[in-house]
Amino acid sequence: QVQLVESGGGLVQAGGSLRLSCQASGRTFSTYAMGWFRQAPGKERELVAGISRSGGGTLYADSVKGRFTISRDNAKNTVYLQMNSLKPEDTAVYYCASHTVSFAMLTPDERAFGFWGQGTQVTVSS
């Protein structure tokens, strides 16, 4: 049973920072690409950032490039999302997700992510 548990969300003022964490269990973490998605009220879920199995490859949504950084610690089965210079438009529920297939190349296609956490709320006040 794959489990992904996010933490680190909360309320922050515009310009502030938060770091999200996602603890994974249930399978060999280092063999799966990971991603962070978000969904704002009334909007579709979107990919924020993705990271390859080793951490050597990353991708970002244009809206967060230069502000957010995704990383992973395979020894701790954890993926992180460091969010700096937060804006009110970053307000959303943030989800951690894992590729379904082991050893697959990182892709921004949401259909490749078959396992999801419960989500953590991030609220940025103006």
Side-chain angles (χ1 to χ4, degrees), residues 27-91:
R27 56 182 190 170
T28 307
F29 180 73
S30 62
T31 63
Y32 295 87
M34 300 291 295
W36 285 97
F37 291 76
R38 68 185 180 187
Q39 187 166 23
K43 294 187 177 181
E44 293 189 354
R45 188 164 59 190
E46 63 173 350
L47 175 70
V48 175
I51 189 165
S52 64
R53 302 186 308 274
S54 67
T58 57
L59 55 84
Y60 295 92
D62 288 343
S63 59
V64 306
K65 281 180 181 176
R67 300 188 298 122
F68 290 11
T69 303
I70 188 171
S71 61
R72 66 190 295 164
D73 185 337
N74 286 342
K76 295 183 178 180
N77 290 356
T78 303
V79 61
Y80 304 96
L81 185 68
Q82 178 66 44
M83 305 185 294
N84 299 329
S85 301
L86 282 160
K87 304 175 181 179
E89 51 263 43
D90 294 319
T91 295

